[in-house]
Amino acid sequence: MLTRFRPALEYGVALLLLTVAWWYASGPMGIPKYLLPSPQSTVATLWDWMVSGQLWPHLWFTVHNIFLGLGIGCVAGIAGAYLLYRMPRLSTYLDGPLVVFQTAPKIALAPLFVVWFGLGLTAKIVLIVSLVFFPVLMGALAGFRSIDSRMHDLAKLLKLNPLSLFWRIDLMAALPGIFVGLKIGAVQALVGAILAEWISGSEGLGYLMTFASATYKTSLLFGAVLLTSLLGIALHGLLGAIEGRLLSWKVQDGR
């Protein structure tokens, strides 16, 4: 029972310690409020924005972009990984370009995406997808390459068609690797969404941070940062729950 709730307890203890350190720095240490607002004033500011209804459109916009970009990047990453797995020769030609694309600094590419795709939603989603794609691709590719060849021998005996082979054997066996890449990609999706809203946007948590910084509303700035961190924790916990549900067979087998 304790093992089941251990991640939540660890997150809770970490947040508690961080809050205590934050309170001590903003209170007894005497750091000015315009540099470090207290936890109480930050929570109060967030509460006022929630009650007034100003916060919800920004929060929904960021969450919508994260899930949309994460979903597209996940599907594209798994599809790309399966293509490279089924066509090993193709992998030798694409490894170099993929690494070059991944190592290119996304903060430098973000303005280019704005130039290419405009100031709307498309540029933001493209940035998020570009951050999610590679971790999912590498995790899924590692998962596909770890499949026992005897599973494919069994598929031949059962005369499975290519679609059934993918859904029943390859995808299920590669799920552990896919979730490793997906968890990394989820963090990248959150970072990409905030970055995109910083560069070009009129709504979202990233825009809220730039607005608060420009107007010297430090409590609102820290509140947006806090909300982003909580969103990341919730996203990681959601993926962990889905992973536990889909990989219950792996846990039961003790592997």
Side-chain angles (χ1 to χ4, degrees):
M1 188 71 172
L2 183 61
T3 304
R4 183 179 179 182
F5 294 101
R6 183 175 178 178
L9 291 174
E10 291 175 349
Y11 282 131
V13 171
L15 286 174
L16 179 61
L17 292 176
L18 182 62
T19 303
V20 171
W22 181 7
W23 167 82
Y24 183 79
S26 62
M29 282 187 64
I31 297 178
K33 292 183 178 180
Y34 65 87
L35 293 178
L36 183 66
S38 66
Q40 302 94 305
S41 64
T42 300
V43 172
T45 301
L46 274 181
W47 178 256
D48 291 341
W49 275 66
M50 289 172 62
V51 172
S52 66
Q54 293 176 281
L55 179 64
W56 301 114
H58 296 286
L59 179 60
W60 166 247
F61 185 77
T62 299
V63 171
H64 169 267
N65 290 350
I66 289 173
F67 278 98
L68 182 58
L70 185 61
I72 296 174
C74 178
V75 172
I78 294 174
Y82 196 65
L83 182 64
L84 295 177
Y85 166 65
R86 301 296 293 182
M87 303 175 65
R89 183 173 295 181
L90 184 63
S91 179
T92 61
Y93 295 113
L94 294 182
D95 279 348
L98 285 173
V99 171
V100 170
F101 176 75
Q102 176 60 19
T103 54
K106 298 303 184 293
I107 194 170
L109 291 177
L112 287 177
F113 290 154
V114 173
V115 173
W116 293 340
F117 301 105
L119 296 172
L121 182 63
T122 303
K124 298 177 178 61
I125 299 303
V126 169
L127 176 60
I128 297 172
V129 170
S130 70
L131 289 167
V132 172
F133 173 77
F134 194 78
V136 175
L137 174 76
M138 297 309 295
L141 188 57
F144 287 132
R145 287 174 174 171
S146 67
I147 297 174
D148 193 335
S149 60
R150 292 174 296 181
M151 299 295 290
H152 284 177
D153 294 337
L154 177 61
K156 291 178 181 178
L157 290 175
L158 296 175
K159 298 181 180 180
L160 296 181
N161 59 51
L163 185 60
S164 297
L165 174 66
F166 173 75
W167 282 109
R168 297 185 180 184
I169 294 181
D170 291 343
L171 183 62
M172 293 297 104
L175 276 180
I178 291 173
F179 271 102
V180 171
L182 192 55
K183 287 180 179 179
I184 299 173
V187 176
Q188 298 279 50
L190 179 59
V191 172
I194 299 300
L195 175 61
E197 292 161 4
W198 278 351
I199 294 175
S200 65
S202 57
E203 55 185 331
L205 294 179
Y207 166 77
L208 206 58
M209 292 178 193
T210 58
F211 168 77
S213 177
T215 54
Y216 299 99
K217 296 181 179 181
T218 317
S219 294
L220 180 59
L221 174 60
F222 272 78
V225 172
L226 176 62
L227 200 56
T228 303
S229 300
L230 294 176
L231 183 59
I233 293 173
L235 187 58
H236 190 273
L238 176 62
L239 289 175
I242 296 174
E243 181 184 19
R245 174 74 66 175
L246 294 179
L247 298 182
S248 56
W249 54 269
K250 183 173 181 290
V251 176
Q252 292 170 0
D253 288 347
R255 294 193 299 267

